[in-house]
Amino acid sequence: MAQARSRLVDQLVEVVQSLPEEKIVEVLDFAADLRGASGESDPERGSADAILTAIEKHGPLEFEPNELESILADIDRLRHLDLRDRGATALRH
């Protein structure tokens, strides 16, 4: 069984290597749909697995100049607000 699977994977790789890039993207999308249909769930939103899956599917993240720094600063500010609010809630109980 493992040998048959290995042979199939080898055949798939051979075929995919002969395709243009846009067709490879279609193959990946189709494979993702098949994976979803087989009962495997998508990774939890925001998890490292979800981010890696998105990068594999859509390519690397691209930001405008200073956009990433702004996003990270917003996240840090919200994290501090959340910590402050949690601390205030804990003091009331």
Side-chain angles (χ1 to χ4, degrees):
M1 181 75 167
Q3 288 179 342
R5 178 181 170 81
S6 178
R7 237 185 348 262
L8 289 171
V9 170
D10 290 344
Q11 289 174 348
L12 179 61
V13 168
E14 186 178 317
V15 169
V16 168
Q17 287 176 336
S18 70
L19 295 173
E21 186 175 337
E22 63 272 4
K23 294 295 182 182
I24 295 172
V25 171
E26 289 181 35
V27 170
L28 290 171
D29 287 343
F30 181 69
D33 289 343
L34 288 175
R35 180 184 297 157
S38 69
E40 292 184 31
S41 62
D42 290 334
E44 182 179 342
R45 182 183 170 128
S47 70
D49 285 340
I51 293 168
L52 291 173
T53 300
I55 290 171
E56 287 173 2
K57 184 173 183 179
H58 302 289
L61 301 174
E62 296 180 11
F63 298 96
E64 296 295 323
N66 299 315
E67 182 181 16
L68 179 58
E69 290 79 6
S70 175
I71 291 169
L72 294 173
D74 287 345
I75 291 170
D76 193 49
R77 183 177 50 82
L78 292 170
R79 185 178 59 80
H80 286 302
L81 287 173
D82 185 52
L83 289 173
R84 187 191 70 201
D85 291 346
R86 287 177 188 225
T89 302
L91 290 175
R92 282 188 242 142
H93 287 76

